[in-house]
């Protein structure tokens, strides 16, 4: 059966494989390089200078995203998106422009108006919660926020139930050398019985593409976690590798806190190669498909891409097999 994500990209794939450039479906937005935690595996520590995109610029960016015909925004790091002052008003503004919203957050500030607004308008929120053990949490993230985050997740579940909101609440475990299978089991135990849509378990890696923990095997997860009625969003398994240059990246555009555009969200340590302009100097609709953009696409490196456990590598791999079968039906 065809993967739903692959099926949803059929139109864009046909355009890209014909040698043309499709419009992006999603904007991945990093609204700040400020963070309220200091995770030991974070790629962006060297960029955490406290910069936050202003409300005026955030609205200009949202207007340009909508003008290009992009369907959704995923708010993520860089930093912690919820540090943007009155970010709830930005979520409301984006919704008023017809944009769907996703959010990746450490969850410390997901409370009050922020939580109520996002759960009302959002499509999904994914909390990064590597462990429910307060001591290990502090060791990994550098803060004593474990109890706050767990409480905010539980409150989010209650709000979703109370108002029957459609927003999917998910968890993400960054599996590093500081965790073991017991830690993962405890996260599943915390989630069990709650309306948690999925748990993503992702092996974290350094800038050289080396996993920080490669001991846990997929079968261990199946055996020890099979009793929980929560689906995996991603299983720990061998990292997918590109066998041809990445051509699927135009299904999205990544915009950072300064308005710089990148080929994808995995621009760490290759920002100059991946950047093709700034939306506050040239409008996004004019940057898209510009000579600078096409040059960046053409110069992307298979070896550099393969250092990252990139979702678009997985998408391209699935699409490659789908194209071979020439059958895009669901059954």
């Amino acid at each position: 059966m065809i993967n739903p994500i692959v099926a949803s990209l059929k139109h864009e794939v046909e355009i890209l494989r014909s040698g043309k450039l499709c419009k992006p479906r999603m904007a991945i937005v990093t609204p700040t390089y400020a963070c309220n935690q200091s995770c030991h595996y974070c790629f962006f520590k060297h960029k955490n200078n406290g910069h936050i995109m202003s409300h005026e610029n955030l609205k200009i960016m949202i207007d340009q995203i909508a003008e290009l015909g992009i369907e959704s925004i995923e708010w993520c790091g860089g930093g912690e998106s919820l540090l943007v002052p009155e970010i709830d008003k930005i979520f409301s503004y984006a919704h008023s422009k017809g944009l769907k919203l996703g959010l990746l957050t450490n969850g410390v500030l997901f409370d009050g108006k922020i939580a109520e607004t996002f759960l009302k308008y959002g499509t999904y929120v994914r909390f990064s919660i590597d462990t429910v053990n307060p001591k290990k949490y502090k060791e990994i993230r550098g803060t004593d926020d474990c109890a706050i985050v767990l409480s905010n997740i539980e409150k989010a579940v209650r709000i979703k139930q109370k108002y029957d909101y459609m927003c999917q609440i998910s968890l993400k475990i960054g599996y590093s050398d500081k965790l073991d299978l017991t830690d993962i089991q405890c996260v599943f135990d915390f989630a069990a019985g709650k309306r948690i849509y999925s748990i993503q378990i992702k092996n974290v890696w350094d800038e050289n593409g080396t996993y920080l923990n490669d001991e846990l095997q997929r079968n261990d997860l199946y055996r020890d976690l099979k009793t929980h009625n929560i689906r995996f969003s991603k299983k720990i398994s061998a990292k997918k590798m590109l066998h041809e240059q990445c051509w699927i990246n135009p299904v999205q555009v990544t915009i950072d806190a300064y308005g710089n555009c990148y080929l994808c969200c995995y621009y760490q340590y290759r920002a100059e190669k991946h950047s093709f302009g700034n939306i506050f100097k040239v409008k996004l609709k004019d940057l898209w498909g510009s000579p600078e953009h096409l040059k960046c696409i053409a110069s992307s490196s298979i070896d550099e891409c393969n250092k990252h456990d990139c979702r678009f590598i997985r998408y391209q791999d699935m699409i490659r097999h789908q194209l071979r079968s020439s059958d895009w039906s669901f059954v």
Side-chain angles (χ1 to χ4, degrees):
M1 186 171 72
I2 187 172
N3 181 282
I5 294 175
V6 173
S8 73
L9 296 174
K10 181 177 185 292
H11 177 66
E12 286 75 16
V13 168
E14 289 173 342
I15 293 173
L16 291 169
R17 297 311 281 172
S18 72
K20 299 177 182 178
L21 191 66
C22 67
K23 289 192 301 184
R25 291 277 295 275
M26 174 174 68
I28 299 175
V29 173
T30 297
T32 179
Y33 283 121
C35 195
N36 51 0
Q37 295 192 330
S38 183
C39 301
H40 82 285
Y41 55 76
C42 180
F43 273 154
F44 283 101
K45 278 187 179 182
H46 67 294
K47 283 190 171 238
N48 289 158
N49 57 13
H51 177 74
I52 298 176
M53 190 183 290
S54 69
H55 264 229
E56 179 184 1
N57 281 346
L58 280 165
K59 288 184 176 180
I60 291 172
M61 177 195 68
I62 289 168
D63 289 342
Q64 292 190 31
I65 287 171
E67 182 183 17
L68 186 56
I70 297 174
E71 299 175 5
S72 60
I73 296 177
E74 180 179 86
W75 304 90
C76 63
E80 171 52 49
S81 296
L82 302 187
L83 285 171
V84 175
E86 297 184 306
I87 187 66
D88 57 298
K89 293 182 178 179
I90 296 300
F91 293 151
S92 296
Y93 185 76
H95 173 74
S96 75
K97 294 293 181 178
L99 294 165
K100 296 178 181 179
L101 306 177
L103 172 66
L104 312 184
T105 177
N106 59 36
V108 177
L109 300 175
F110 197 84
D111 196 7
K113 286 185 179 179
I114 291 174
E116 291 171 6
T117 302
F118 194 86
L119 290 168
K120 181 178 181 180
Y121 297 134
T123 300
Y124 62 87
V125 54
R126 186 179 306 143
F127 293 90
S128 183
I129 179 78
D130 306 319
T131 176
V132 298
N133 180 312
K135 183 177 179 181
K136 280 197 175 183
Y137 187 99
K138 184 174 183 178
E139 183 181 359
I140 293 168
R141 295 182 168 264
T143 70
D144 289 312
D145 296 326
C146 185
I148 294 172
V149 175
L150 295 178
S151 175
N152 285 346
I153 293 170
E154 291 176 328
K155 283 188 284 187
V157 169
R158 289 197 295 271
I159 293 171
K160 173 182 168 68
Q161 291 175 325
K162 180 178 179 179
Y163 296 104
D164 197 26
Y165 289 146
M166 298 298 291
C167 186
Q168 297 170 352
I169 299 173
S170 298
L171 309 180
K172 175 187 173 184
I173 301 170
Y175 188 61
S176 70
D177 51 347
K178 297 185 183 297
L179 295 182
D180 56 32
L181 188 60
T182 301
D183 293 297
I184 294 178
Q185 179 68 58
C186 288
V187 174
F188 272 76
D189 291 340
F190 164 76
K194 301 180 177 70
R195 290 180 68 180
I196 302 297
Y197 176 75
S198 67
I199 297 179
Q200 181 188 81
I201 306 172
K202 192 164 187 178
N203 232 326
V204 294
W205 67 99
D206 63 20
E207 64 269 25
N208 297 313
T210 303
Y211 281 150
L212 297 186
N213 193 337
D214 59 1
E215 295 178 359
L216 186 63
Q217 300 300 314
R218 182 167 54 184
N219 288 339
D220 295 327
L221 288 176
Y222 291 157
R223 184 184 66 247
D224 287 21
L225 304 175
K226 64 183 179 181
T227 59
H228 295 281
N229 189 27
I230 304 168
R231 77 175 185 88
F232 287 96
S233 177
K234 175 181 171 59
K235 308 170 185 71
I236 292 184
S237 58
K239 185 167 64 175
K240 290 290 185 182
M241 306 293 280
L242 275 178
H243 300 286
E244 59 180 335
Q245 192 177 43
C246 177
W247 52 265
I248 199 64
N249 62 78
V251 301
Q252 57 78 57
V253 60
T254 295
I255 305 173
D256 81 349
Y258 294 99
N260 296 317
C261 291
Y262 297 95
L263 286 186
C264 71
C265 57
Y266 300 98
Y267 59 86
Q268 305 93 335
Y269 305 102
R270 50 182 180 169
E272 289 185 8
K273 294 180 182 179
H274 260 39
S275 178
F276 57 91
N278 185 287
I279 63 169
F280 301 125
K281 296 177 181 177
V282 179
K283 281 192 173 184
L284 179 58
K285 68 180 180 64
D286 297 321
L287 286 174
W288 196 256
S290 65
E292 293 80 8
H293 185 200
L294 298 178
K295 181 180 178 182
C296 280
I297 293 174
S299 63
S300 66
S301 164
I302 294 176
D303 290 338
E304 287 183 352
C305 288
N306 278 336
K307 291 180 180 180
H308 300 271
D309 188 6
C310 167
R311 58 179 145 172
F312 299 105
I313 292 178
R314 296 196 300 277
Y315 296 164
Q316 186 163 308
D317 183 66
M318 288 187 288
I319 290 168
R320 184 168 60 94
H321 286 84
Q322 200 63 42
L323 290 170
R324 286 181 178 179
S325 73
S326 301
D327 182 7
W328 287 85
S329 61
F330 275 94
V331 179

